[in-house]
């Protein structure tokens, strides 16, 4: 599976998107995430595993816990992939604007 495929598949799940968005507000342990979401700790751990394998989050040890956060290095390739479409859309918008000015 391509990088984009792994990332999009990981974020296609609503619970994983919630976890990802929650991590966007700050670092969290699995227990912290389980307290803020209606999901068990084992399920949170499984979702974090998928997000980590997709390169979207990373973890650091803190005593007996692991603290999760968004991996900025993992987001870079996703942004580059999305920017390809943004460039095409801007070019299409410019073509329409140029055409309207000529009328």
């Amino acid at each position: 599976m391509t990088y984009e495929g792994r990332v999009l598949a990981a974020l296609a799940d609503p619970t994983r998107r919630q976890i990802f968005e929650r991590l966007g507000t700050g670092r969290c342990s699995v227990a912290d995430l389980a307290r803020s979401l209606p999901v068990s700790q084992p399920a949170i751990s499984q979702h974090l595993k998928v997000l980590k394998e997709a390169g979207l989050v990373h973890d650091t040890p803190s005593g007996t816990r692991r603290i999760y956060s968004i991996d900025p290095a993992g987001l870079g390739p996703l942004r580059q992939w999305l920017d390809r479409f943004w460039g095409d859309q801007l070019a299409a918008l410019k073509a329409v604007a140029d055409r309207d000015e000529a009328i």
Side-chain angles (χ1 to χ4, degrees):
M1 185 181 290
T2 65
Y3 163 79
E4 296 86 9
R6 284 193 315 272
V7 169
L8 295 175
L11 293 175
D13 182 274
T15 301
R16 284 195 288 271
R17 279 197 310 276
Q18 282 184 302
I19 293 169
F20 187 74
E21 289 171 2
R22 174 66 178 85
L23 291 174
T25 65
R27 303 164 26 124
C28 290
S29 68
V30 173
D32 293 337
L33 289 165
R35 278 192 289 275
S36 65
L37 296 170
V39 184
S40 69
Q41 283 191 23
I44 294 282
S45 294
Q46 288 299 312
H47 287 299
L48 285 168
K49 180 181 176 188
V50 173
L51 291 169
K52 186 175 176 181
E53 288 173 354
L56 293 170
V57 302
H58 61 83
D59 59 337
T60 54
S62 175
T64 58
R65 303 180 316 160
R66 301 203 71 77
I67 305 299
Y68 288 85
S69 58
I70 288 180
D71 185 351
L75 288 177
L78 176 61
R79 181 170 181 156
Q80 289 173 352
W81 184 76
L82 290 171
D83 283 349
R84 291 185 328 188
F85 301 105
W86 180 241
D88 293 344
Q89 293 301 313
L90 284 177
L93 178 62
K94 182 179 184 317
V96 169
D98 289 347
R99 188 180 62 220
D100 287 348
E101 283 183 19
I103 295 176

